């Protein structure tokens, strides 16, 4: 039971699927190319949909602080592996952290 408490295999798989979904909808070739402009609204929609999925996963799996941290770290590594620039990776990881910590419907600034 103790090993199951700290098991991260589901978290790792979910982080990978989250990064893969983002890469399909907003490929690194587009994200890293300043000549290819994607609207802020489209990018926000893509990220919010992914983060909402993560918030639902967090509630279903009842992730504690350790597995939430693991989720964010694995997500960052996956985005880096796909080839996203550091600035985008950090911004996406920060957004994910907010969603899995506070949830998608929490008021900002509280």
């Amino acid at each position: 039971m103790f090993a199951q408490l700290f098991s991260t295999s589901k978290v790792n798989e979910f982080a990978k699927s989250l990064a893969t979904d983002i890469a399909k909808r907003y490929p690194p070739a587009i994200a890293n190319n300043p000549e290819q402009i994607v609207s802020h609204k489209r990018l926000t929609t893509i990220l919010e949909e992914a983060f909402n999925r993560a918030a639902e996963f967090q509630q279903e799996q009842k992730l504690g602080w350790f597995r939430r941290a693991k989720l964010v770290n694995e997500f960052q590594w996956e985005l880096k592996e796909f080839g996203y620039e550091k600035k985008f990776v950090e911004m996406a990881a920060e957004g994910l952290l907010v969603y899995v910590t506070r949830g998608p419907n929490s008021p900002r600034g509280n």
Side-chain angles (χ1 to χ4, degrees):
M1 183 172 172
F2 184 73
Q4 189 178 22
L5 185 64
F6 290 103
S7 174
T8 59
S9 61
K10 282 185 181 178
V11 172
N12 293 347
E13 289 174 31
F14 183 76
K16 187 174 216 160
S17 75
L18 210 57
T20 300
D21 288 348
I22 289 172
K24 286 178 184 175
R25 297 180 66 196
Y26 186 61
I30 292 173
N32 298 340
N33 186 347
E35 293 178 11
Q36 296 215 359
I37 298 174
V38 174
S39 74
H40 290 290
K41 183 178 179 179
R42 175 157 167 68
L43 178 56
T44 299
T45 300
I46 291 168
L47 292 175
E48 282 183 347
E49 287 174 3
F51 298 160
N52 281 326
R53 278 186 45 221
E56 290 172 13
F57 177 80
Q58 192 279 128
Q59 289 175 343
E60 290 168 6
Q61 299 297 315
K62 306 213 184 314
L63 302 179
W65 66 268
F66 174 78
R67 291 194 296 162
R68 279 185 284 197
K70 181 71 172 166
L71 175 63
V72 174
N73 285 331
E74 287 297 317
F75 177 70
Q76 270 187 301
W77 283 109
E78 289 297 325
L79 291 178
K80 287 178 186 177
E81 288 289 318
F82 278 117
Y84 287 99
E85 290 181 348
K86 183 179 179 181
K87 184 177 176 180
F88 177 79
V89 171
E90 289 174 351
M91 183 269 307
E94 184 178 329
L96 177 61
L97 180 61
V98 169
Y99 270 68
V100 297
T101 303
R102 293 194 223 172
N105 298 323
S106 296
R108 304 251 189 254
N110 287 345

